[in-house]
């Protein structure tokens, strides 16, 4: 983005210009994206075959979920070899080809590094567990088992975060599955090995890293018990270890020193008032943070809770104000760990699915922060109609089922009714490319995971053929964002926080003011002019028949209509 709209971008308000602040990022879960060799599993050649489709959205970078060798206990978030491509995904040549094909389209590639834990099949852990005197024993976190569980830390995937190991009778720590032992970042050898892994991928030309649960890497090695309050949400304690900022500064200084690499920290458990400590430019730690306050606004553990639009809006304002001028947020409503946005925050009934999916993407692409679009979100893909526990793949669901249903605390029906709304598996069903067999995802008889039966209506081929589809609206939104500096660097002001149905905000940069108004309701709503007034020019609406002018105060926003106005 150079000089546009007469604003010399060099004069931007306080924060620095960066490519990743101006970029729109598309997240790919390779397992479910496209299968090129008919084994029913998505792969890197499949991703490469869809680059024109991805480029057509106008995105600038791809975040590729873990592509490394893994036993897939947690679908790749259990890495067995950081320098090897998962066999089912293809070869290192396939990775190199994807990288160069993407870059020839002006698309950067960001890879997903899981550094808080490895697979229990990683050679480091195989060595570490072999005996108390093994040179790599201290690469992981072991505690004497003679007195039972070292403390009451819970795992996110059910049960205790401590697993007793037969070889020595000691316990090792795992915040997630027992097949995902936590690394001991207090050992400088671990950190040095990790920085080498980062340089290996940076030397290949990746643009940076999404860093999985990175705030968890420092532990209070005294391991005091969690209090009852802390036990309700252990992630807030796990993300606040004593050396976390020291390690992130060292990682930036020693791991990434000579590279212009973006670091996107997944900040599960970092509250808004601590977020800036990780991403303020003057702290030289991470570049941006993926926070969970929006997507988990209506969540109590695995249960769905109610939410209101004012509460939803308040979170956006809180994240924007606490990250401050020198920090930067990731803005998203969908990813591989959350239900589909249009089912979660939109209205996935046939009448309103497309309008509400376009409205939600208008929100994502006009907030202050880097927008992330998750594969299928650009099609308005919906949650899956799970009926039975066997319909699920996710290890997290299996752990919660054991902790709640098998333990007799909750009925199977109640559990499924909740997980149908909250499960991560909703976002992991294969991409829907066309209305042919397996939605065009795979030529295999049985793909690795079920395909949503609504693929006959919701698929890329149909979307590309329909000028009013979600796909084409994303193209218009990314083009508008690219040509409107206020939508990237402008201040964010919520103009009507209390309105129960309208989300109305301004983005202001010097003398440019853009107003975004989104109707979250099935009823028309009138939009009153903002105090600052000014004749509005309609830049974009998601309503097909909207004329090209808009009169503030006289016009009513249609159900799920989202308009972007420029105020002089
Ligand atoms: O439901 C969750 C926690 O109970 C998820 O939000 C998720 O486990 C958490 O956000 C951390 O996510 C990341 O680390 C996990 C992996 O399963 C997720 O897919 C990844 O995004 C462990 O590596
Ligand atoms: Ca395949």
């Amino acid at each position: 983005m150079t000089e546009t709209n007469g604003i010399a971008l060099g004069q931007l308000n306080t924060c620095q210009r960066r490519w990743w602040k101006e970029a729109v990022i598309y997240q790919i879960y390779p397992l479910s994206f496209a299968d090129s060799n008919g084994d029913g599993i998505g792969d890197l050649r499949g991703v490469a075959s869809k680059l024109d489709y991805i480029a057509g959205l106008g995105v600038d970078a791809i975040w590729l979920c873990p592509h490394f060798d893994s036993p897939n206990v947690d679908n790749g978030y259990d890495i067995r070899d950081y320098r090897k491509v998962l066999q089912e995904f293809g070869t290192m040549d396939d990775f190199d080809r994807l990288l160069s094909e993407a870059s020839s389209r002006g698309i950067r590639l960001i890879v997903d590094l899981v550094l808080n834990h490895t697979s229990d099949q990683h050679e480091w852990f195989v060595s570490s567990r072999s005996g108390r005197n093994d040179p790599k024993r201290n690469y992981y976190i072991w505690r004497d088992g003679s007195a039972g569980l070292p403390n009451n830390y819970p795992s996110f995937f059910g049960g205790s975060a401590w697993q007793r190991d037969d070889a020595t009778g000691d316990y090792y720590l795992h915040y997630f599955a027992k097949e995902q032992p936590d690394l001991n970042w207090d050992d400088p050898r671990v950190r040095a090995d990790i920085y080498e892994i980062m340089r290996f991928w940076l030397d290949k030309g990746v643009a940076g890293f999404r860093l999985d649960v990175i705030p968890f890497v420092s532990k209070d090695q005294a391991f005091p018990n969690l209090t009852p309050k802390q036990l309700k949400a252990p992630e807030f304690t796990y993300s606040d270890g004593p050396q976390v900022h020291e390690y992130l500064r060292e990682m930036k200084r020693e791991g990434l020193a000579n590279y212009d690499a973006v670091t996107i920290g997944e900040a599960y458990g970092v509250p808004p008032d601590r977020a800036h400590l990780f991403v303020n430019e003057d702290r030289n730690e991470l570049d941006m943070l993926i926070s969970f306050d929006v997507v988990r606004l209506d969540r109590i553990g695995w249960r769905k809770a109610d939410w209101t639009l004012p509460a939803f809006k308040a979170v956006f304002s809180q994240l924007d104000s606490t990250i401050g001028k020198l920090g930067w947020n990731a803005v998203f409503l969908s990813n591989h760990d959350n239900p589909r946005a249009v089912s979660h925050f939109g209205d996935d009934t046939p009448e309103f699915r497309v309008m509400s999916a376009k409205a939600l993407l208008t929100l994502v692409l006009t907030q202050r922060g880097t927008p992330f679009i998750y594969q299928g979100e650009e099609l308005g893909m919906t949650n899956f109609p799970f009926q039975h526990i066997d319909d699920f793949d996710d290890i997290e669901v299996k752990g919660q089922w054991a902790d709640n249903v098998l333990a007799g605390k909750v009925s199977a029906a109640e559990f499924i009714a909740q997980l149908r709304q909250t499960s991560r598996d909703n976002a992991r069903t294969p991409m829907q490319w066309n209305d042919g067999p397996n939605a065009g995802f795979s030529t295999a008889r049985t793909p690795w995971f079920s395909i949503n039966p609504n693929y006959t209506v919701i698929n890329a081929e149909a979307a590309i053929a329909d000028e009013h589809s979600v796909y084409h609206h994303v193209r218009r939104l990314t083009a508008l964002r690219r040509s409107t500096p206020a939508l990237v660097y402008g201040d964010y002001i919520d103009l009507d926080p209390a309105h129960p149905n309208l989300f109305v905000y301004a983005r202001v940069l010097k003398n440019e003011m853009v107003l975004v108004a989104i109707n979250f309701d099935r009823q028309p709503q009138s939009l009153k002019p903002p105090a600052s007034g000014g004749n509005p020019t309609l830049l974009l609406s998601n309503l097909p028949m909207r004329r090209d002018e808009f009169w503030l105060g006289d016009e009513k926003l249609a159900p799920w209509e989202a308009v972007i106005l420029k105020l002089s």
Side-chain angles (χ1 to χ4, degrees):
M1 178 162 46
T2 53
E3 184 94 37
T4 49
N5 301 14
I7 299 175
L9 293 177
Q11 305 158 6
L12 291 178
N13 46 12
T14 48
C15 71
Q16 298 290 318
R17 284 197 57 194
R18 292 283 187 274
W19 69 263
W20 40 265
K21 293 184 179 179
E22 300 168 15
V24 176
I25 298 177
Y26 187 75
Q27 182 194 353
I28 292 178
Y29 195 71
L31 214 49
S32 305
F33 193 68
D35 168 21
S36 70
N37 63 344
D39 65 356
I41 300 168
D43 47 56
L44 297 183
R45 288 182 176 216
V47 175
S49 73
K50 301 294 181 183
L51 282 171
D52 288 335
Y53 166 83
I54 295 165
L57 285 168
V59 300
D60 309 276
I62 288 169
W63 154 23
L64 185 68
C65 284
H67 65 283
F68 312 95
D69 174 46
S70 163
N72 275 337
V73 168
D74 186 18
N75 292 354
Y77 283 92
D78 49 319
I79 296 175
R80 179 168 47 200
D81 184 336
Y82 287 92
R83 292 181 175 80
K84 190 166 173 289
V85 172
L86 179 72
Q87 187 187 347
E88 291 84 348
F89 284 175
T91 64
M92 190 58 91
D93 283 348
D94 293 329
F95 178 85
D96 292 339
R97 188 177 313 112
L98 172 61
L99 194 59
S100 66
E101 291 284 297
S103 101
S104 68
R105 291 168 176 79
I107 294 175
R108 291 176 162 97
L109 187 61
I110 296 163
V111 295
D112 194 332
L113 269 184
V114 186
L115 301 173
N116 174 68
H117 47 272
T118 68
S119 161
D120 62 346
Q121 297 180 27
H122 191 288
E123 62 181 17
W124 293 344
F125 190 70
V126 172
S127 174
S128 174
R129 83 184 319 172
S130 67
R132 289 197 179 116
N133 302 323
D134 182 274
K136 289 231 174 348
R137 185 67 170 183
N138 200 40
Y139 267 51
Y140 295 84
I141 296 171
W142 295 92
R143 284 298 180 276
D144 167 56
S146 54
L149 287 176
N151 78 354
N152 67 351
Y153 277 15
S155 155
F156 290 112
F157 292 170
S160 164
W162 296 98
Q163 174 65 30
R164 189 176 180 284
D165 193 54
D166 294 342
T168 60
D170 287 350
Y171 285 85
Y172 65 86
L173 180 69
H174 60 90
Y175 283 165
F176 293 93
K178 65 181 184 340
E179 297 87 352
Q180 294 170 289
D182 279 49
L183 281 166
N184 179 16
W185 274 57
D186 289 1
D187 188 321
R189 296 172 300 164
V190 169
R191 303 200 304 273
D193 284 349
I194 280 171
Y195 304 155
E196 265 190 45
I197 290 165
M198 296 179 105
R199 286 192 291 269
F200 173 84
W201 292 101
L202 289 168
D203 288 341
K204 293 180 86 61
V206 304
F209 304 105
R210 182 267 190 183
L211 296 169
D212 189 64
V213 292
I214 196 70
F216 287 177
V217 297
S218 169
K219 272 77 172 173
D220 173 354
Q221 298 252 13
F223 290 113
N225 272 335
L226 293 184
T227 63
K229 181 170 180 293
Q230 288 172 325
L231 269 172
K232 284 194 172 40
E235 62 272 17
F236 292 106
T237 307
Y238 294 172
S239 72
D240 199 11
Q243 277 89 22
V244 67
H245 296 294
E246 176 195 329
Y247 293 160
L248 291 176
R249 274 197 286 277
E250 182 190 79
M251 181 176 80
K252 173 104 176 172
R253 195 177 54 245
E254 298 188 15
L256 307 170
N258 313 319
Y259 301 90
D260 175 23
V262 66
T263 50
I264 303 168
E266 186 206 23
Y268 186 42
V270 174
D273 61 5
R274 277 205 284 123
H276 67 285
L277 296 174
F278 290 85
V279 293
N280 262 15
E281 285 174 346
D282 54 9
R283 289 177 58 92
N284 296 310
E285 294 187 23
L286 300 172
D287 291 321
M288 80 175 92
L289 226 43
I290 293 178
S291 298
F292 288 83
D293 308 85
V294 171
V295 287
R296 295 179 83 91
L297 160 89
D298 59 343
R299 190 79 71 80
I300 302 168
W302 46 271
R303 289 180 182 278
K304 177 86 172 65
D306 289 337
W307 61 284
T308 67
L309 185 61
F312 182 76
K313 294 187 282 188
V315 178
F316 279 94
S317 290
Q318 184 186 30
L319 288 174
D320 186 70
S321 57
T322 46
I323 209 75
K325 277 276 170 283
L326 297 176
W328 200 256
N329 275 320
V331 178
F332 69 101
L333 294 177
S334 182
N335 64 20
H336 66 293
D337 287 335
N338 283 281
R340 288 281 179 184
V342 73
S343 301
H344 190 180
F345 295 116
D347 182 333
D348 63 7
T349 58
E351 185 181 1
F352 295 110
R353 180 181 62 82
V354 170
M355 277 294 282
S356 68
K358 293 195 282 190
L360 294 176
L361 281 158
T362 301
L363 173 61
V364 170
L365 284 153
T366 58
Q367 279 285 322
R368 187 170 87 99
T370 298
F372 285 68
I373 301 171
Y374 178 64
Q375 67 180 47
E377 188 175 1
E378 78 280 5
L379 300 178
M381 278 176 65
T382 67
N383 281 352
F384 183 88
F386 294 108
Q387 301 295 328
H388 188 274
I389 185 63
D390 294 340
D391 295 343
F392 293 93
D393 163 79
D394 185 359
I395 183 166
E396 182 174 44
V397 174
K398 308 291 170 62
Q400 291 163 336
W401 172 268
D403 272 9
N404 292 281
V405 179
L406 300 187
K409 293 182 199 157
V410 169
S411 74
E414 162 67 7
F415 183 83
I416 299 292
Q418 294 298 321
L419 267 292
R420 189 181 298 129
Q421 300 176 79
T422 62
S423 168
R424 310 193 298 180
D425 275 336
N426 280 304
R428 300 177 177 188
T429 62
M431 268 293 278
Q432 295 163 199
W433 295 107
N434 57 48
D435 62 2
N438 297 326
F441 163 72
S442 168
T443 56
R445 202 155 43 80
T446 326
W448 80 274
F449 202 21
S450 318
I451 288 169
N452 199 312
N454 63 22
Y455 76 91
T456 52
V457 173
I458 303 172
N459 62 71
E461 197 170 84
I464 290 168
D466 168 9
E467 64 162 324
H468 300 309
S469 66
V470 187
Y471 179 87
H472 286 300
H473 203 63
V474 171
R475 288 163 54 89
R476 296 182 198 107
L477 284 165
T478 53
L480 179 62
R481 181 182 168 83
R482 189 184 310 278
S483 63
T484 314
L487 288 177
V488 179
Y489 291 107
D491 290 342
Y492 172 76
I493 305 145
D494 185 330
L495 296 177
D496 195 347
H499 199 296
N501 305 109
L502 290 182
F503 198 161
V504 188
Y505 53 90
R507 300 294 312 277
V508 181
L509 181 67
K510 307 279 184 237
N511 59 354
E512 186 180 22
M513 178 171 176
V514 175
L515 184 140
V516 180
I518 303 169
N519 182 0
F520 271 71
D521 197 50
R522 290 179 168 180
Q523 301 305 322
Q525 301 282 339
S526 58
L527 178 62
K528 58 183 191 302
S532 58
N535 301 323
T537 311
L538 181 65
L539 297 177
L540 187 61
S541 166
N542 64 342
L543 191 65
M545 73 291 276
R546 170 66 64 194
R547 301 181 308 285
D548 60 4
E549 81 279 341
F550 192 93
W551 305 114
L552 285 166
D554 303 358
E555 299 274 357
K556 280 194 181 302
L557 281 182
W560 285 103
E561 182 173 9
V563 293
I564 304 173
L565 306 171
K566 186 174 168 120
L567 299 184
S568 57

